[in-house]
Amino acid sequence: VERTLVADEGRQIYSESNVTLDECASLCDHKLACRSFAFSALLRLCYLKEAEVTLADAARLPAYLDYKTYIKLTHLTTTTKVPTPAPTPAPTPAQTLAPTPAPTPAPTRAPTPAPTLDPTYAPTPAPTPAPTPTPTLAPTPAPACSGRYYVIHHISWGHARGEIFKELDKARAAFAKLNGGAYATILSDDCF
Protein backbone atom coordinates (compact mmCIF):
# COMPACT_ATOMS: atom_id res chain seq x y z
CA VAL A 1 0.00 0.00 0.00
CA GLU A 2 1.53 3.33 -1.07
CA ARG A 3 1.55 6.37 1.20
CA THR A 4 3.62 9.53 1.68
CA LEU A 5 7.09 9.08 3.14
CA VAL A 6 6.74 8.59 6.90
CA ALA A 7 8.56 10.81 9.39
CA ASP A 8 9.90 7.84 11.37
CA GLU A 9 11.05 5.19 8.89
CA GLY A 10 12.59 2.95 11.54
CA ARG A 11 15.68 0.77 11.12
CA GLN A 12 16.91 0.01 7.61
CA ILE A 13 17.52 -3.71 7.06
CA TYR A 14 18.58 -3.69 3.40
CA SER A 15 18.99 -1.38 0.42
CA GLU A 16 19.27 -1.89 -3.32
CA SER A 17 19.95 0.51 -6.19
CA ASN A 18 18.87 0.47 -9.84
CA VAL A 19 15.61 -1.40 -9.16
CA THR A 20 11.95 -0.98 -10.12
CA LEU A 21 9.08 -0.62 -7.67
CA ASP A 22 8.02 -4.23 -8.35
CA GLU A 23 11.56 -5.48 -7.68
CA CYS A 24 11.70 -3.49 -4.43
CA ALA A 25 8.34 -4.95 -3.33
CA SER A 26 9.60 -8.45 -4.14
CA LEU A 27 12.75 -7.86 -2.05
CA CYS A 28 10.52 -6.86 0.90
CA ASP A 29 8.29 -9.90 0.39
CA HIS A 30 11.31 -12.20 0.65
CA LYS A 31 12.71 -10.66 3.86
CA LEU A 32 10.84 -11.81 6.96
CA ALA A 33 11.83 -8.70 8.96
CA CYS A 34 10.65 -6.29 6.22
CA ARG A 35 7.38 -4.58 7.17
CA SER A 36 7.66 -1.52 4.90
CA PHE A 37 9.99 0.05 2.36
CA ALA A 38 10.87 3.47 0.94
CA PHE A 39 11.25 3.77 -2.84
CA SER A 40 12.28 6.53 -5.26
CA ALA A 41 11.28 6.00 -8.89
CA LEU A 42 13.48 8.96 -9.89
CA LEU A 43 16.63 7.49 -8.35
CA ARG A 44 15.53 3.82 -8.60
CA LEU A 45 16.52 3.28 -4.96
CA CYS A 46 14.93 0.84 -2.51
CA TYR A 47 15.26 0.83 1.29
CA LEU A 48 13.72 -2.07 3.24
CA LYS A 49 12.56 -1.11 6.75
CA GLU A 50 11.60 -2.90 9.94
CA ALA A 51 9.18 -0.16 11.02
CA GLU A 52 5.55 -1.00 11.67
CA VAL A 53 4.11 1.76 9.46
CA THR A 54 0.41 2.56 9.26
CA LEU A 55 -1.59 4.92 7.07
CA ALA A 56 -2.13 7.13 10.14
CA ASP A 57 1.59 7.67 10.92
CA ALA A 58 2.96 11.21 10.53
CA ALA A 59 4.41 12.11 7.13
CA ARG A 60 7.90 13.54 6.66
CA LEU A 61 7.70 17.29 6.14
CA PRO A 62 8.96 18.53 3.84
CA ALA A 63 8.77 15.51 1.56
CA TYR A 64 12.07 14.18 0.20
CA LEU A 65 12.39 14.00 -3.60
CA ASP A 66 9.79 11.51 -4.91
CA TYR A 67 10.22 8.95 -2.12
CA LYS A 68 7.11 7.10 -0.97
CA THR A 69 6.63 4.62 1.86
CA TYR A 70 5.02 1.29 0.97
CA ILE A 71 3.38 -0.88 3.62
CA LYS A 72 3.68 -4.64 3.19
CA LEU A 73 0.13 -5.98 2.63
CA THR A 74 0.52 -8.96 4.96
CA HIS A 75 1.65 -6.56 7.67
CA LEU A 76 -1.18 -4.09 7.06
CA THR A 77 -3.84 -6.76 7.44
CA THR A 78 -2.46 -7.87 10.82
CA THR A 79 -1.87 -4.41 12.29
CA THR A 80 -4.22 -3.55 15.13
CA LYS A 81 -3.77 0.22 14.81
CA VAL A 82 -6.64 0.31 12.28
CA PRO A 83 -9.97 0.40 14.16
CA THR A 84 -12.09 -2.73 13.94
CA PRO A 85 -15.71 -2.52 12.80
CA ALA A 86 -18.52 -2.51 15.37
CA PRO A 87 -19.51 -5.97 16.68
CA THR A 88 -22.55 -7.78 15.28
CA PRO A 89 -25.67 -6.84 17.30
CA ALA A 90 -27.15 -9.46 19.60
CA PRO A 91 -29.85 -11.70 18.09
CA THR A 92 -33.53 -10.89 18.54
CA PRO A 93 -34.56 -12.36 21.91
CA ALA A 94 -37.88 -13.76 20.71
CA GLN A 95 -39.21 -14.98 17.42
CA THR A 96 -41.59 -12.61 15.57
CA LEU A 97 -44.93 -14.05 14.55
CA ALA A 98 -45.69 -11.79 11.58
CA PRO A 99 -43.90 -12.41 8.26
CA THR A 100 -41.75 -9.73 6.69
CA PRO A 101 -44.10 -7.42 4.74
CA ALA A 102 -41.91 -7.18 1.62
CA PRO A 103 -38.74 -8.89 0.42
CA THR A 104 -35.43 -7.13 0.91
CA PRO A 105 -34.39 -5.15 -2.18
CA ALA A 106 -31.51 -6.57 -4.23
CA PRO A 107 -28.13 -5.98 -2.57
CA THR A 108 -25.72 -3.46 -4.07
CA ARG A 109 -22.90 -4.88 -6.20
CA ALA A 110 -20.18 -2.61 -4.76
CA PRO A 111 -19.17 -2.49 -1.08
CA THR A 112 -19.94 0.60 0.96
CA PRO A 113 -16.94 2.96 0.90
CA ALA A 114 -15.13 3.67 4.14
CA PRO A 115 -17.00 6.14 6.37
CA THR A 116 -15.99 9.79 6.33
CA LEU A 117 -13.96 10.54 9.46
CA ASP A 118 -15.20 14.12 9.68
CA PRO A 119 -18.59 14.27 7.90
CA THR A 120 -20.29 17.51 6.95
CA TYR A 121 -24.02 17.90 7.29
CA ALA A 122 -24.45 20.46 4.53
CA PRO A 123 -25.75 19.16 1.20
CA THR A 124 -23.40 18.78 -1.73
CA PRO A 125 -23.39 21.94 -3.87
CA ALA A 126 -25.01 21.80 -7.28
CA PRO A 127 -22.78 20.46 -10.07
CA THR A 128 -20.98 22.86 -12.36
CA PRO A 129 -23.32 23.66 -15.26
CA ALA A 130 -20.53 24.04 -17.85
CA PRO A 131 -17.90 21.37 -18.50
CA THR A 132 -14.30 21.92 -17.54
CA PRO A 133 -12.30 23.66 -20.30
CA THR A 134 -10.05 21.55 -22.51
CA PRO A 135 -6.98 20.39 -20.55
CA THR A 136 -3.51 21.64 -21.39
CA LEU A 137 -1.81 19.23 -23.77
CA ALA A 138 1.76 20.07 -22.77
CA PRO A 139 3.01 18.92 -19.35
CA THR A 140 4.09 21.44 -16.75
CA PRO A 141 7.82 22.06 -17.20
CA ALA A 142 10.11 20.68 -14.53
CA PRO A 143 11.83 23.16 -12.22
CA ALA A 144 15.03 24.59 -13.63
CA CYS A 145 17.97 22.72 -12.12
CA SER A 146 21.61 23.06 -13.04
CA GLY A 147 21.96 19.35 -13.87
CA ARG A 148 24.38 18.67 -11.04
CA TYR A 149 24.04 15.61 -8.82
CA TYR A 150 25.48 15.19 -5.34
CA VAL A 151 26.51 12.01 -3.53
CA ILE A 152 27.05 12.71 0.16
CA HIS A 153 28.02 10.15 2.79
CA HIS A 154 28.89 10.23 6.45
CA ILE A 155 32.44 9.23 7.25
CA SER A 156 32.18 9.60 11.04
CA TRP A 157 29.98 11.24 13.62
CA GLY A 158 29.47 14.88 12.58
CA HIS A 159 31.55 14.58 9.40
CA ALA A 160 30.42 14.03 5.82
CA ARG A 161 32.12 13.91 2.42
CA GLY A 162 30.51 14.69 -0.93
CA GLU A 163 31.13 14.54 -4.66
CA ILE A 164 29.50 16.50 -7.49
CA PHE A 165 28.57 14.87 -10.81
CA LYS A 166 27.26 16.27 -14.08
CA GLU A 167 25.78 12.89 -15.15
CA LEU A 168 23.12 11.02 -13.21
CA ASP A 169 24.48 7.59 -14.20
CA LYS A 170 27.91 8.42 -12.74
CA ALA A 171 26.26 9.75 -9.58
CA ARG A 172 24.21 6.55 -9.28
CA ALA A 173 27.34 4.43 -9.70
CA ALA A 174 29.15 6.36 -6.94
CA PHE A 175 26.09 6.06 -4.71
CA ALA A 176 25.89 2.29 -5.32
CA LYS A 177 29.52 1.87 -4.19
CA LEU A 178 28.91 3.73 -0.90
CA ASN A 179 25.37 2.66 -0.12
CA GLY A 180 24.81 -0.07 2.46
CA GLY A 181 27.89 0.73 4.53
CA ALA A 182 28.00 1.61 8.22
CA TYR A 183 27.01 5.25 7.59
CA ALA A 184 24.22 6.97 5.69
CA THR A 185 24.60 7.87 2.00
CA ILE A 186 22.39 10.17 -0.07
CA LEU A 187 22.03 11.01 -3.78
CA SER A 188 20.40 14.37 -4.56
CA ASP A 189 20.24 17.11 -7.15
CA ASP A 190 20.38 20.87 -6.62
CA CYS A 191 16.57 21.14 -6.80
CA PHE A 192 16.35 19.33 -3.45
Side-chain angles (χ1 to χ4, degrees):
V1 174
E2 178 184 309
R3 60 148 294 159
T4 56
L5 188 64
V6 294
D8 183 9
E9 295 184 86
R11 189 174 80 87
Q12 179 177 310
I13 57 173
Y14 184 75
S15 66
E16 186 75 38
S17 60
N18 203 26
V19 294
T20 66
L21 175 59
D22 289 339
E23 291 168 333
C24 189
S26 178
L27 288 168
C28 185
D29 286 342
H30 290 89
K31 295 257 185 217
L32 185 60
C34 182
R35 292 186 178 100
S36 62
F37 61 92
F39 179 74
S40 166
L42 174 70
L43 302 176
R44 297 179 49 126
L45 297 175
C46 172
Y47 296 95
L48 304 186
K49 306 289 183 168
E50 246 182 9
E52 293 186 17
V53 177
T54 68
L55 296 172
D57 289 340
R60 177 181 172 167
L61 296 175
Y64 179 64
L65 295 175
D66 68 328
Y67 277 95
K68 300 278 186 210
T69 294
Y70 294 84
I71 304 168
K72 194 173 186 178
L73 282 178
T74 55
H75 172 67
L76 183 64
T77 56
T78 60
T79 300
T80 57
K81 292 183 182 179
V82 177
T84 56
T88 305
T92 307
Q95 179 178 355
T96 58
L97 300 175
T100 305
T104 305
T108 59
R109 294 182 190 268
T112 304
T116 305
L117 298 177
D118 188 16
T120 60
Y121 297 101
T124 304
T128 307
T132 306
T134 306
T136 307
L137 298 177
T140 304
C145 300
S146 70
R148 289 182 293 204
Y149 302 93
Y150 306 89
V151 175
I152 304 166
H153 66 279
H154 286 266
I155 54 175
S156 64
W157 182 254
H159 299 282
R161 180 175 292 143
E163 295 179 66
I164 302 172
F165 297 88
K166 290 184 179 181
E167 297 174 22
L168 181 57
D169 288 339
K170 289 183 179 179
R172 282 184 177 154
F175 176 83
K177 286 181 188 175
L178 298 168
N179 191 28
Y183 297 101
T185 305
I186 185 173
L187 170 60
S188 180
D189 62 15
D190 59 343
C191 287
F192 171 65

